[in-house]
Amino acid sequence: FDVFPELTAYEVLQFFANLKGYKITEEEIDHLLEILNLSPQRDMTVKTLSGGMKRRLGIAQALIASPEVIIFDEPTVGLDPKQIIEVRNLLRNLGKDHTVILSTHILQEVQAVCDRIVIINKGKIVADEQTENITRAVENNRRFQVKIAGPQKEVLSMLRSKPGIVHAEVLAQRDGDAYTYMIESE
C-alpha cells in the first residue's frame, strides 16, 4: 500500500473494489473496516498507518465482494502479540463463511486457527489430517540423514528396498567415497 501513501484507508478499499469491477457501497467499506478494527483509521492516509494496520487493510481488500476462497501467506509475520491474536480470531471467524487457506511454517499458528491441516512438501501431500490429529501424523514420519560409503546406486536401491523406509534420496554432499542420504521412515 506504500504506493498509495496519500490515499485514506477508505479510498484504498474503493480503489481495489474498482479494480475488481465490484460496485462497493459506503456501508460495505465501513463494515470491512469495522470487522478489521480499522474504523478509527477510516480517514487516515496509508503513510500514517502502522505495519499491522496496513496488514489488516490488505485483508480488508481481499474480502471485497466476499470471495469463496481466501489465501493468506504468513498473515501474522511482523505483528505484535495483540495484533497476532486479533488476526487469528479474524481468520477463525472468516473460516465460518469462506474457505481459508493459510500458508505458514508456524504449526502453533495453524493449530490455533485451522480445523484441518494439509502439509505439502516439494509438491507432495505428506499429511492431511484434522488439526487435533496432525501432531501424531507428523511425529510418525521421521527423516534421517546418514553417510554411507559404497556404490551410490546400489546403496540407494538397498535403502529403498528396506521395510519401513518410505523414501530415500541422495543428497549432494559427498565425502570421499561416501554419500549423504536422506531417509524417511514410516
Side-chain angles (χ1 to χ4, degrees):
F1 294 113
D2 292 330
V3 294
F4 309 111
E6 300 301 325
L7 292 183
T8 65
Y10 181 88
E11 292 167 336
V12 165
L13 295 179
Q14 278 183 317
F15 175 80
F16 279 100
N18 289 337
L19 273 182
K20 294 178 182 187
Y22 181 74
K23 302 265 188 237
I24 195 164
T25 65
E26 184 173 348
E27 291 78 23
E28 287 175 294
I29 292 175
D30 286 338
H31 177 69
L32 289 171
L33 293 170
E34 181 182 324
I35 64 174
L36 285 143
N37 297 322
L38 288 171
S39 294
Q41 290 77 26
R42 180 186 196 271
D43 298 315
M44 290 177 63
T45 59
V46 169
K47 69 180 176 186
T48 63
L49 299 177
S50 70
M53 290 175 191
K54 288 178 187 176
R55 176 82 43 99
R56 287 184 282 144
L57 186 59
I59 294 170
Q61 73 82 21
L63 296 175
I64 292 170
S66 193
E68 289 182 39
V69 178
I70 307 165
I71 301 171
F72 293 97
D73 182 24
E74 303 282 356
T76 60
V77 170
L79 300 182
D80 65 45
K82 182 178 181 233
Q83 290 172 327
I84 289 172
I85 292 168
E86 289 173 357
V87 169
R88 285 180 179 175
N89 288 335
L90 172 68
L91 295 176
R92 208 174 296 111
N93 288 332
L94 288 173
K96 295 175 185 174
D97 299 317
H98 307 269
T99 298
V100 175
I101 298 174
L102 178 63
S103 172
T104 183
H105 64 282
I106 304 169
L107 184 58
Q108 300 89 327
E109 183 162 297
V110 175
Q111 289 173 317
V113 174
C114 301
D115 297 326
R116 180 172 155 229
I117 300 173
V118 177
I119 298 175
I120 301 171
N121 183 19
K122 297 182 183 175
K124 290 181 137 182
I125 295 176
V126 296
D128 181 355
E129 296 286 337
Q130 295 296 318
T131 301
E132 61 269 10
N133 299 332
I134 199 68
T135 304
R136 183 176 46 234
V138 172
E139 285 175 350
N140 291 337
N141 191 356
R142 304 284 184 189
R143 288 186 175 187
F144 304 95
Q145 286 189 15
V146 295
K147 191 179 289 186
I148 302 173
Q152 184 185 64
K153 287 183 181 180
E154 290 176 34
V155 171
L156 192 56
S157 177
M158 180 273 305
L159 289 172
R160 290 177 174 163
S161 69
K162 291 292 181 190
I165 294 181
V166 294
H167 181 76
E169 68 181 84
V170 180
L171 300 178
Q173 302 162 354
R174 182 178 179 183
D175 184 10
D177 65 343
Y179 288 89
T180 302
Y181 298 83
M182 192 277 296
I183 302 169
E184 188 174 319
S185 68
E186 289 179 348

